[in-house]
């Protein structure tokens, strides 16, 4: 698997995009769809090719100020790595 | 009632290939019965309104329809995620560009083996070389789109495996990896239609299957993050059946070339079934009211042991069509299940066919030589008028 570093720019992999409705958005990919809510949705909305991992983590830390130091980064990494293994997110 | 999530559109049964594992019905729909473009566009819009997310354009060979680009465009306008499932025969570089332009999300290209001789022998047509050429054109789009940062079309290679090619799996994965797919789908032949007729030549042995599982596991490990590998395990060798179509009338609906709405691609084999036609009814009415969709929906039809089994919400008692094809009773527990009263039918088939079947074909053999040596070995899928 590719390394996920501060400079990595996560974005949807080929053939993956948003679908569903504004109230209930889903991520569509060739063999299915996943419903994303809460933080997952916030992270994926930042995976539009404009932000690096470091910037995404920064934005989330600003939004969730009470989260323990390092936790947000670890959570974002795990989330993105899981989606990368499924070829939904590339970086 | 849940809404359907995917629509399988068998837009034509015509096909230039004659794959021996084809799961199309033996009775194929002819060209003059096919729905018109406008019918399909209406169905796509109705499907999207019903909550369908994915459209699978399949056949036969969907490329046999000259209006395919229009259909892709219409599907995208209806906001459907659009998949094209194809053998590639009939797709030029220009036509591919049209599809990409029209908004195709994903192309799934089938391969029959790792080298031309056996691949063409299995397909009953000289198709392998063209598939390789086509893969290179898909690659061009992926590279261009990557450079411009535009949305990119996903590329899946699909491989149906069975006794004649499963021993070449390692070479196949290597050959397909070189084509830069995003995904590889390794699907074991499913015994419906033509595949069922050819079962004695196709069913793999247990030893073959175990080797294949190890090969796929190693490839998954090596390609993680690069190529996603999905393997569909052959249910004849499993302990429990697959949740066919995610349960009857629960997630999917299939429209055949003539407009009949089926809960699954093989449902036409079950006697006494009547399939309502999209020419006569709106899709929403069919999904809710069509007798064919009601028939095995829910649990009321279930016999024991399914009725009181804790797995019934997971596999829904297995496949109704397989139950009928093998036991003569569409409401029987799928005989693939080790708890089924008629499970011995599967054990017998595996013992008979998959232990001492014909020797797998050599990779180097030519199409011509294979055909000469194996005349009458299996029956090729025919083409409808
Ligand atoms: S003959 Fe082959 S390519 Fe044609 S529909 Fe059947 S499986 Fe698909
Ligand atoms: S008995 Fe029926 S519900 Fe239970 S595992 Fe077997 S097929 Fe599935």
């Amino acid at each position: 698997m590719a390394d996920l570093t501060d400079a990595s720019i996560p974005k949807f992999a080929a053939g993956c995009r948003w679908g569903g409705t504004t109230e209930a958005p889903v991520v569509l990919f060739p063999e299915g769809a996943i419903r994303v809510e809460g933080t997952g949705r916030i992270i994926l909305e930042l995976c539009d090719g404009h932000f690096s991992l470091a910037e995404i983590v920064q934005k989330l830390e600003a939004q969730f100020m009470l989260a323990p130091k390092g936790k947000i980064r670890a959570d974002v990494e795990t989330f993105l790595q899981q989606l990368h293994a499924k070829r939904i997110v590339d970086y | 009632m849940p809404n359907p999530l995917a629509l399988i559109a068998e837009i034509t049964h015509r096909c230039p290939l004659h794959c021996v594992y084809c799961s199309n019905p033996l009775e194929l729909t002819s060209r003059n019965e096919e729905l018109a473009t406008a019918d399909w566009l209406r169905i796509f819009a109705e499907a999207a309104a019903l909550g369908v997310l994915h459209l699978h354009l399949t056949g036969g060979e969907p490329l046999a329809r000259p209006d395919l680009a229009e259909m892709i465009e219409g599907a995208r306008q209806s906001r459907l995620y659009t998949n094209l499932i194809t053998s590639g025969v009939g797709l030029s570089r220009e036509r591919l560009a049209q599809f990409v332009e029209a908004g195709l999300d994903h192309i799934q290209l089938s391969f029959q083996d790792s080298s031309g001789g056996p691949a063409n022998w299995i397909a009953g047509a000289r198709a392998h070389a063209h598939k390789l050429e086509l893969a290179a054109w898909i690659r061009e789009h992926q590279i261009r789109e990557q450079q411009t940062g535009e949305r990119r079309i996903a590329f899946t290679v699909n491989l149906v495996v069975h006794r004649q090619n499963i021993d070449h799996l390692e070479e196949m994965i290597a050959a397909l990896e070189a084509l830069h797919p995003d995904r590889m789908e390794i699907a074991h032949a499913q015994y419906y239609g033509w595949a069922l007729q050819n079962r004695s030549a196709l069913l793999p042995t247990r030893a073959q299957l175990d080797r294949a599982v190890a090969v796929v596991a190693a490839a998954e490990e090596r390609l993680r993050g690069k190529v996603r590998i999905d393997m569909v395990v052959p249910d004849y060798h499993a302990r429990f059946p697959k949740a066919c179509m995610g349960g009857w009338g629960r997630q999917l609906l299939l429209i055949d070339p003539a407009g009949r709405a089926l809960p699954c691609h093989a449902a036409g084999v079950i006697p006494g079934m009547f399939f309502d036609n999209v020419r006569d009814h709106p899709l929403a009415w069919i999904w809710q009211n069509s007798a064919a969709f009601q028939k095995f929906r829910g649990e009321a039809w279930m016999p024991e042991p399914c009725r009181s089994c804790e797995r019934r919400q997971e596999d829904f008692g297995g496949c109704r069509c397989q139950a009928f094809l093998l036991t003569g009773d569409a409401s029987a527990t799928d005989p693939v299940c080790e708890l089924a009263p008629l499970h011995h039918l599967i054990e017998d088939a595996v013992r008979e066919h998959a232990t001492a079947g014909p020797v797998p074909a050599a990779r180097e053999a030519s199409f011509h030589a294979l055909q000469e040596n194996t005349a009458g070995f299996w029956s090729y899928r025919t083409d409808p008028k």
Side-chain angles (χ1 to χ4, degrees), chain B residues 240-241 305-306 309-312 315-318 333-334 337 339-340:
Chain B
F240 300 111
C306 299
C309 177
E310 55 188 34
R311 286 182 52 90
R312 69 184 186 278
D315 64 32
F316 310 100
T333 296
D334 188 335
C337 180
L339 304 171

Side-chain angles (χ1 to χ4, degrees), chain B residues 15 17-19 21-24 59-61 87 110 112 381:
Chain B
C15 184
L17 272 63
H18 309 282
C19 304
Y21 60 75
C22 184
S23 59
N24 277 159
E61 174 48 67
S87 74
S110 65
Q112 282 71 31
R381 176 205 197 268

Side-chain angles (χ1 to χ4, degrees), chain B residues 57-277:
Chain B
L57 293 164
T58 181
E61 174 48 67
L63 296 166
R65 292 276 308 219
D67 52 355
L68 186 53
E70 226 178 305
M71 286 197 220
I72 293 169
E73 207 178 327
R76 281 305 308 261
Q77 270 167 14
S78 294
R79 297 180 35 102
L80 293 173
Y81 187 98
T82 309
N83 295 290
L84 176 63
I85 299 166
T86 180
S87 74
V89 177
L91 192 49
S92 64
R93 199 176 180 179
E94 293 68 36
R95 207 171 171 206
L96 172 67
Q98 275 177 15
F99 294 171
V100 172
E101 179 74 11
L104 185 65
D105 286 293
H106 172 221
I107 184 164
Q108 180 186 305
L109 181 61
S110 65
F111 284 85
Q112 282 71 31
D113 207 328
S114 52
S115 50
N120 293 340
W121 173 59
I122 291 163
R126 288 182 198 281
H128 189 72
H130 175 70
K131 290 166 188 276
L132 298 177
E133 206 176 8
L134 173 56
W137 298 333
I138 297 172
R139 177 78 182 144
E140 288 175 2
H141 281 281
Q142 292 214 312
I143 292 174
R144 185 167 330 122
E145 290 167 13
Q146 199 161 22
Q147 285 164 350
T148 58
E150 284 170 42
R151 53 172 290 281
R152 292 191 297 142
I153 180 170
F155 175 31
T156 297
V157 288
N158 161 279
L159 199 59
V160 174
V161 291
H162 43 76
R163 182 157 79 244
Q164 303 304 322
N165 66 5
I166 196 169
D167 292 328
H168 312 157
L169 193 54
E170 211 161 347
E171 291 88 345
M172 279 195 273
I173 292 174
L176 295 178
E177 187 189 333
L179 304 177
H180 303 280
D182 300 296
R183 291 169 160 70
M184 267 186 216
E185 184 183 284
I186 298 166
H188 284 259
Q190 304 276 346
Y191 298 103
Y192 305 99
W194 303 84
L196 182 60
Q197 284 208 324
N198 293 321
R199 192 175 67 177
S200 62
L202 296 177
L203 201 60
T205 65
R206 184 78 228 185
Q208 279 186 311
L209 179 66
D210 291 343
R211 277 197 301 275
V213 169
V215 167
V216 171
E220 259 172 352
E221 192 54 41
R222 187 168 53 83
L223 296 172
R224 180 158 303 137
K226 195 171 158 216
V227 185
R228 169 170 168 165
I229 302 186
D230 288 307
M231 165 135 122
V232 182
V233 193
D235 59 1
Y236 274 50
H237 293 279
R239 290 179 59 199
F240 300 111
K242 56 189 183 295
C244 194
M245 311 301 275
W248 188 278
R250 281 185 87 248
Q251 296 185 353
L252 287 105
L253 77 165
L254 178 147
I255 310 292
D256 84 358
R260 283 176 293 253
L262 281 69
C264 102
H265 62 115
V269 300
I270 301 176
M273 296 281 276
F274 176 78
F275 301 105
D276 286 296
N277 197 300

